[in-house]
Amino acid sequence: EKVILGGLPLAIAILPALSRKQYLLVYYCFILAISLTALLSLYFYVLDYESVTQSIEQNKTVDIVGNMHHSYFGLLQAFSILLAVDLGRRKVQIFSAVESKLLYLFAAINFLTTHLFASRTGLACLYAGTFAYLIFNLFTSSNKKLAVLVFLGMLALPIVAYYSVPSFKNRVDVTRWDLQQYF
């Protein structure tokens, strides 16, 4: 087993380089897989809404399809959202112009489910990544007014989520309580 793990970097290093289209296919498959997992998990969440909501209120986690740990899934969702938005914004496509619209749809699905599942790790990474992405675009964008508007909207989004998504509000309150107990 150690020989196999030790040889893995070498095996990866000697693989031929992927073409741009192959990289995009890997990205698209990743975004699609995360979105489908989120939708399936959301389906089971809705089926047992009361029980899951009660477990969130008790600071327990939402079950993710495939027995994936919720923190790890939150990180994958954050990366999927940022990747989909970036690819969609740059209008990257392999087959047709519809792809950017689908990327935004998948980003929206993951954004919504990240907030509903209230994974603190995923949310922290999502907002930190979004903040960094917006700062970068603020300096590189030719449309400064739009960049500033999006930045201000991003700052308002957690506040809106706090007052409109009960599971998100509960996680914030529980986190605040945990920090008070710690200090």
Side-chain angles (χ1 to χ4, degrees):
E1 185 176 311
K2 290 181 182 179
V3 173
I4 293 172
L5 290 177
L8 189 59
L10 178 62
I12 292 171
I14 62 174
L15 284 174
L18 296 176
S19 69
R20 180 177 186 277
K21 186 175 181 178
Q22 289 170 325
Y23 270 114
L24 289 175
L25 283 172
V26 170
Y27 293 157
Y28 285 4
C29 288
F30 170 74
I31 293 166
L32 180 64
I34 297 300
S35 300
L36 290 176
T37 303
L39 284 173
L40 281 171
S41 299
L42 181 62
Y43 172 74
F44 290 115
Y45 176 92
V46 170
L47 283 181
D48 197 15
Y49 178 77
E50 289 180 22
S51 173
V52 174
T53 303
Q54 187 177 20
S55 73
I56 289 173
E57 288 173 359
Q58 296 170 353
N59 203 24
K60 294 181 181 168
T61 62
V62 175
D63 290 332
I64 304 300
V65 170
N67 292 327
M68 194 179 312
H69 194 274
H70 70 281
S71 295
Y72 179 66
F73 185 66
L75 293 173
L76 293 176
Q77 279 191 302
F79 181 65
S80 171
I81 293 164
L82 294 169
L83 181 61
V85 167
D86 184 57
L87 292 173
R89 188 182 72 78
R90 292 188 293 134
K91 297 191 183 341
V92 174
Q93 65 183 35
I94 300 174
F95 305 107
S96 74
V98 153
E99 291 169 31
S100 61
K101 290 179 178 58
L102 287 173
L103 287 169
Y104 286 131
L105 173 67
F106 293 143
I109 288 168
N110 285 315
F111 186 83
L112 173 71
T113 55
T114 299
H115 285 80
L116 286 175
F117 299 160
S119 167
R120 290 179 280 196
T121 307
L123 288 166
C125 288
L126 173 63
Y127 282 107
T130 302
F131 184 76
Y133 185 75
L134 288 174
I135 292 294
F136 173 77
N137 283 316
L138 189 63
F139 290 109
T140 60
S141 174
S142 58
N143 190 348
K144 299 285 186 207
K145 288 181 185 177
L146 179 62
V148 168
L149 224 100
V150 170
F151 181 75
L152 292 174
M154 182 262 179
L155 291 177
L157 202 55
I159 297 166
V160 171
Y162 181 81
Y163 289 106
S164 62
V165 180
S167 59
F168 182 77
K169 180 185 185 312
N170 183 62
R171 288 288 186 188
V172 171
D173 292 343
V174 168
T175 301
R176 189 179 307 141
W177 184 84
D178 286 345
L179 290 172
Q180 287 171 347
Q181 298 307 308
Y182 180 76
F183 292 111

